[in-house]
Amino acid sequence: MFHSSRTADTPSSEQPAPLSIAVLIPCLNEARSIAKVVRDFKTQLPQASIYVFDNNSADGTGQVAHEAGAIVFSEARRGKGYVVQSMFERVDADIYLMVDGDDTYPAENVLQLLAPVLQGEADMTIGSRIIQGSSSEFKPVNFMGNIFFQNLINFIFGTHLTDILSGYRCMVRKLVKNLPLFVTGFEIEAEITIKSLERGFRLLEVPVNLRSRGEGSQSKIRIVRDGLRILGTIFALFRDYKPLTFFGSLGLVTILLGILPGIRAILGYIETGLVEKFPSAILSVGMILTGLLFIMVGLILHTLNRRFREMEHFLRVLSEDSQPSRR
Ligand SMILES: Nc1nc2c(ncn2[C@@H]2O[C@H](COP(=O)(O)OP(=O)(O)OP(=O)(O)O)[C@@H](O)[C@H]2O)c(=O)[nH]1
Ligand SMILES: [Mg+2]
């Protein structure tokens, strides 16, 4: 049994309360693998409650999961993002462990994911399929997509993560209950990662070896459509969380491009004393003003963002004060 490391408010004679662990498994048509996943996690974490969130699977996933000993919830809205939102809202626990139902993530690594969270060293551990020390069976296109998104997020947010999209994560309650999640599909992991980083939660990656899906098991991800949705989400979060960098860079590029036609008009004026290249001059002024407008928008949103963060902080303090103390 795992015990809380929280001792400050626990009288020395009392045993700290055992921490409750919830294993959350989003599932859509995973009847071939779900019983094994439930059993494997029950073996590794006998004290944990296992929850399977099903979207009316056509192959009886819910029934198979129930028979294997999981608590099955049904989610009406189709999409992994909706399911994760629903899991975070409906399940109550101290520690949350999220994993896919397709038996591609190894249950054997679960204690490595749990340990840093239990010891208070991380608020979220991510099972990284790409970090040095792991040897994963990736489809080449999935691997390339992961590397692309990894580099994009590290560049934009200044992080050093290796696996942004992993579905194998361990999280503390505070993180799970404080992340406003809105995306509906496979963009959910990118949203969880970026919003956790922006709220100052501590993330730690643990190497895991991804296995291929079993024979006859169908992937739910559609590479082009879902890839574009992940890209759109990353840019939307970039715009929302770093507006000055987003609009500022846009503004600077527009200004620099606007200077080029302006140079032509100025050189002509120096030569002849007349503004002969009128279209270039108008284009240049228009672009420079647009660039300045972008920078102004960035500054305004940046200030608003800071004030919203202060509000969010006060709201969190208020809600923590009104709740019984938990980890
Ligand atoms: N409940 C529910 N689960 C979903 C939905 N879409 C995907 N999932 C589950 O989310 C997990 C991840 O989906 P996968 O299809 O494995 O996606 P992936 O891991 O990125 O790709 P592959 O493993 O290569 O197929 C699996 O357990 C799916 O069953 C959905 O709409 N509803
Ligand atoms: Mg999978």
Side-chain angles (χ1 to χ4, degrees):
M1 181 67 70
F2 296 111
H3 289 279
S4 169
S5 57
R6 175 171 31 90
T7 52
D9 51 1
T10 312
S12 55
S13 56
E14 277 180 36
Q15 278 287 320
L19 291 177
S20 55
I21 301 176
V23 177
L24 310 176
I25 314 178
C27 260
L28 181 66
N29 296 328
E30 306 287 6
R32 283 169 187 268
S33 51
I34 190 59
K36 176 172 183 296
V37 176
V38 172
R39 277 198 305 270
D40 286 355
F41 278 89
K42 266 194 174 299
T43 309
Q44 296 291 333
L45 299 173
Q47 76 284 29
S49 307
I50 314 237
Y51 298 86
V52 167
F53 277 68
D54 181 34
N55 269 128
N56 295 324
S57 293
D59 64 353
T61 297
Q63 184 61 28
V64 178
H66 173 72
E67 280 160 16
I71 303 161
V72 179
F73 278 88
S74 184
E75 170 57 46
R77 299 166 302 171
R78 182 72 51 103
K80 189 174 180 186
Y82 278 134
V83 174
V84 173
Q85 288 178 32
S86 179
M87 296 191 309
F88 283 12
E89 212 176 284
R90 292 160 81 176
V91 176
D92 226 22
D94 293 310
I95 309 279
Y96 296 79
L97 193 285
M98 189 168 89
V99 68
D100 288 355
D102 55 359
D103 190 33
T104 51
Y105 290 102
E108 310 85 80
N109 290 127
V110 73
L111 295 179
Q112 280 134 272
L113 262 86
L114 266 174
V117 172
L118 287 169
Q119 286 155 12
E121 289 163 9
D123 300 308
M124 171 158 70
T125 46
I126 304 171
S128 172
R129 305 159 290 176
I130 301 168
I131 199 170
Q132 221 174 9
S134 87
S135 64
S136 291
E137 296 169 8
F138 261 113
K139 286 183 222 148
V141 62
N142 285 14
F143 181 73
M144 274 154 48
N146 270 280
I147 296 291
F148 171 73
F149 291 125
Q150 165 205 321
N151 284 314
L152 187 65
I153 288 188
N154 286 339
F155 176 70
I156 294 174
F157 294 94
T159 49
H160 302 281
L161 296 169
T162 61
D163 195 350
I164 312 297
L165 305 177
S166 171
Y168 198 12
R169 287 158 193 258
C170 182
M171 294 157 279
V172 292
R173 177 185 172 82
K174 192 172 168 185
L175 183 147
V176 165
K177 296 295 179 190
N178 281 300
L179 282 191
L181 301 176
F182 302 116
V183 301
T184 59
F186 282 100
E187 322 85 271
I188 191 72
E189 278 93 4
E191 189 181 35
I192 293 177
T193 304
I194 295 170
K195 289 191 171 174
S196 304
L197 283 169
E198 287 301 310
R199 279 168 180 76
F201 288 111
R202 295 158 306 156
L203 273 53
L204 187 77
E205 292 186 320
V206 174
V208 296
N209 298 337
L210 185 82
R211 294 187 286 255
S212 299
R213 274 178 171 272
E215 197 74 8
S217 164
Q218 286 277 323
S219 176
K220 311 300 164 318
I221 200 157
R222 282 195 254 157
I223 301 295
V224 176
R225 190 200 65 172
D226 292 316
L228 287 175
R229 287 176 66 161
I230 294 170
L231 190 65
T233 298
I234 293 173
F235 274 104
L237 291 169
F238 178 25
R239 183 200 58 207
D240 293 353
Y241 283 86
K242 298 207 173 291
L244 189 54
T245 319
F246 184 86
F247 288 103
S249 336
L250 213 60
L252 282 180
V253 171
T254 315
I255 289 173
L256 288 176
L257 290 176
I259 287 174
L260 296 179
I263 291 174
R264 287 185 68 208
I266 290 169
L267 287 179
Y269 177 75
I270 292 170
E271 248 175 54
T272 62
L274 293 169
V275 182
E276 285 172 338
K277 309 244 184 299
F278 251 108
S280 298
I282 292 170
L283 179 67
S284 176
V285 170
M287 285 180 77
I288 290 172
L289 286 180
T290 309
L292 287 174
L293 202 66
F294 275 136
I295 295 174
M296 290 301 294
V297 167
L299 274 170
I300 294 167
L301 290 176
H302 178 71
T303 312
L304 280 177
N305 226 9
R306 289 180 82 108
R307 297 291 289 136
F308 271 117
R309 279 183 192 203
E310 286 175 17
M311 296 268 283
E312 202 178 298
H313 169 79
F314 289 128
L315 283 175
R316 205 164 35 233
V317 170
L318 269 178
S319 89
E320 273 166 18
D321 281 352
S322 63
Q323 277 172 17
S325 76
R326 285 188 91 137
R327 187 185 167 91

